[in-house]
Amino acid sequence: MPELPEIETIRRSLQQQVEGCRISAIDIFEKRLRRPVPAGLLHRYIENFVVRLLERRAKYLLFTFDSGAVLIIHLGMSGRLGLFDPRHPLEKHTHVVFKLSCDLEMRFRDPRRFGLIAVQQPGRTSNVLLDHLGVEPLSDEFNAEYLCDRLGKSMRPVKNVLMDATVVVGLGNIYVSEALFAAKIDPCRAAGTLTRSEVDLLVAAIKSTLLQAIAAGGTTLNDFRNGRGEAGFFQQQLMVYQRQEQPCYLCGHSVRKCVLAGRSTFFCPSCQA
DNA sequence: AACTATACCTGCAAGC
DNA sequence: TGCTTGCAGGTATAGT
């Protein structure tokens, strides 16, 4: 489900409780995620070790342990990670339970099983999941100069380039549509035709859209919840996403939907002409 | 080489 | 009511 703001919201909601906690036991109920759950590595390098750091890279949550290993969790489209009282009944599709020394359980639940759990072994620095990733959109590396270079002379729709994780990470279908609206750029525009001032606007729009969504605790369209089970509020600020056939809040023109990069794309044909 | 379409999986809403 | 269909926020990979 979640894009960068939702993952960052989950990270912040878990950090206090999880950092400094020991994982006392790991129960695996379903190994068939996007890749098989690495039971052996979890028991060897994660179980009975203490979480030192909970960070985010792209849409991955990274738990660094005092064993030197890193637990990598991705939530795919329908994944959830939350803290529960051990007495709370297990919800359907709960695949892995991490029992914490603080007497809580961190439960991974994912009906569609597009998520994944992986372990980077102690001493390893390269990782097949992370190595190819582009820059973080909220970092200083993501600026107009960088994006101009990556847009190049490409004829691809600008939306497709922004969804490309080797260019910039963390933007999914919701926030790309919203950021392009904020920058008043047509998602179909050939990437190479954007002017420098349009790229300036686009970079600023991406950063501010993501920051506003994080401040709102993410977007809860159907079932997103943070680590404490709380919904987000950014859905109240969506300008175009899933608003096809409804009037644009700025100009009143009907919002349109098209398909780009195989996914629904929402835009105002008047504001983003 | 650059790019797009497809597959992975379950749940849900809409339509019949 | 109950069936079928289409669609859903992500990513890797097969194919053009």
Side-chain angles (χ1 to χ4, degrees):
Chain A
M1 78 178 89
E3 304 180 33
L4 186 149
E6 287 72 40
I7 302 301
E8 181 60 24
T9 296
I10 290 175
R11 189 191 71 79
R12 292 181 185 189
S13 70
L14 293 176
Q15 185 171 31
Q16 282 275 319
Q17 299 273 14
V18 168
E19 283 183 355
C21 253
R22 182 179 304 275
I23 307 284
S24 55
I26 302 174
D27 290 336
I28 301 168
F29 300 103
E30 173 61 81
K31 288 188 181 177
R32 295 172 304 161
L33 302 184
R34 201 170 89 218
R35 345 170 36 142
V37 176
L41 294 176
L42 286 171
H43 293 307
R44 197 173 325 150
Y45 295 118
I46 304 301
E47 203 166 55
N48 295 317
F49 289 97
V50 175
V51 180
R52 286 298 176 212
L53 213 51
L54 172 51
E55 300 169 292
R56 179 191 57 73
R57 170 75 172 114
K59 295 168 188 161
Y60 293 93
L61 288 166
L62 308 177
F63 300 75
T64 300
F65 284 77
D66 59 354
S67 63
V70 182
L71 171 67
I72 302 172
I73 296 184
H74 193 287
L75 298 181
M77 297 233 277
S78 60
R80 279 206 215 175
L81 199 62
L83 295 172
F84 290 83
D85 185 306
R87 290 165 298 190
H88 191 281
L90 279 195
E91 291 172 285
K92 194 177 177 187
H93 304 298
T94 298
H95 304 315
V96 180
V97 173
F98 300 88
K99 298 190 169 162
L100 306 180
S101 55
C102 60
D103 207 30
L104 284 171
E105 291 182 354
M106 184 174 76
R107 298 181 179 175
F108 175 86
R109 178 171 173 252
D110 183 9
R112 290 174 73 180
R113 293 194 273 121
F114 281 7
L116 72 81
I117 294 179
V119 174
Q120 180 174 300
Q121 295 178 233
R124 305 238 174 132
T125 48
S126 79
N127 187 286
V128 66
L129 296 168
L130 307 176
D131 288 348
H132 68 284
L133 294 174
V135 302
E136 286 287 331
L138 294 176
S139 72
D140 292 339
E141 290 172 276
F142 184 66
N143 53 41
E145 198 165 45
Y146 171 81
L147 188 56
C148 273
D149 180 56
R150 296 304 305 261
L151 295 172
K153 297 184 167 67
S154 171
M155 294 302 287
R156 302 168 78 183
V158 61
K159 180 201 179 182
N160 298 32
V161 179
L162 295 177
M163 297 278 286
D164 182 342
T166 66
V167 176
V168 57
V169 298
L171 286 168
N173 212 30
I174 296 178
Y175 296 109
V176 165
S177 277
E178 292 298 312
L180 284 165
F181 176 82
K184 298 188 185 296
I185 294 169
D186 182 341
C188 300
R189 274 276 295 284
T193 68
L194 267 65
T195 65
R196 171 59 192 244
S197 62
E198 285 177 316
V199 176
D200 285 338
L201 270 173
L202 181 54
V203 167
I206 288 169
K207 289 176 190 277
S208 72
T209 300
L210 294 174
L211 287 171
Q212 286 173 57
I214 292 170
T219 299
T220 296
L221 286 177
N222 297 309
D223 55 5
F224 167 71
R225 293 289 186 279
N226 69 20
R228 292 187 295 266
E230 302 156 346
F233 296 99
F234 194 70
Q235 63 277 12
Q236 296 165 8
Q237 296 176 58
L238 295 176
M239 300 295 280
V240 289
Y241 186 76
Q242 285 190 350
R243 295 199 63 248
Q244 70 274 21
E245 314 305 321
Q246 296 176 55
C248 171
Y249 291 130
L250 292 190
C251 75
H253 201 286
S254 187
V255 171
R256 282 219 202 118
K257 171 175 153 174
C258 66
V259 174
L260 284 176
R263 315 209 77 98
S264 296
T265 304
F266 303 87
F267 64 103
C268 170
S270 171
C271 291
Q272 295 168 266

